[in-house]
Structures are given as C-alpha cells and as structure tokens.
Amino acid sequence: MKRKNASLLGNVLMGLGLVVMVIGVGYSILNQLPQLNLPQFFSHGAILSIFVGAVLWLTGARVGGREQVCDRYWWVRHYDKRCRRNGNHS
C-alpha cells in the first residue's frame, strides 16, 4: 500500500473510531436519563462501542504511521526509560 493511501486509510479509521466512541459515550449518558425511556438492551452495546472505537482508533494510528503518538505525552517522556535523553540507556 502506498504511503498516501495508508495515511488516508489510517485517518479514516481514526475518524471512524472517534465517531464510534463519541456516539457510545453520548448514548451511555443519555441512557441514564429516565425521561427518555431508552431501551436498556442498547446500553451494553454503547459500552462495547467505546472499546470498538478505541480499537479502530489504534488500528488507524498503526496503519497511518502514527503509532508513536504516545511518545509525546508528558508522563511517558518523563518517566519512561526509553524516552529519556540522559545518555545512560540500560
């Protein structure tokens, strides 16, 4: 797969994962309101969709070449031995 196509596919998967996660969280929140009378059966699916969205997001990051995004997080940079710049790697 060409780099441009891989990047496009990765972006689409990441976007789809984000949409699925937001819809799952939104439905889970709306399901807590008793006046809407939403079916309880779909609440388990909403929770599952959050995890499915996260997997889609991570798959898109892997395909699109962004799997190292976590290295930019402050916690990882400061407390992970692989990300330190102090010179003594062991």
Side-chain angles (χ1 to χ4, degrees):
M1 186 180 300
K2 292 184 179 180
R3 184 173 179 90
K4 183 178 178 182
N5 292 338
S7 178
L8 180 65
L9 179 63
N11 287 340
V12 168
L13 286 173
M14 287 175 69
L16 183 65
L18 180 66
V19 168
V20 169
M21 283 189 287
V22 167
I23 289 173
V25 168
Y27 190 84
S28 295
I29 291 171
L30 290 176
N31 196 25
Q32 299 299 316
L33 300 174
Q35 59 266 34
L36 292 179
N37 292 329
L38 296 174
Q40 289 292 329
F41 175 72
F42 292 127
S43 65
H44 300 295
I47 303 286
L48 180 66
S49 72
I50 296 169
F51 294 106
V52 170
V55 169
L56 282 173
W57 176 278
L58 292 173
T59 303
R62 180 77 177 174
V63 169
R66 292 188 177 93
E67 69 272 5
Q68 307 234 343
V69 170
C70 66
D71 291 341
R72 295 189 179 112
Y73 291 139
W74 185 87
W75 185 267
V76 174
R77 260 195 337 245
H78 288 84
Y79 293 104
D80 191 358
K81 291 178 186 177
R82 297 172 296 163
C83 298
R84 289 187 189 163
R85 296 183 185 182
N86 57 3
N88 41 343
H89 299 281
S90 47

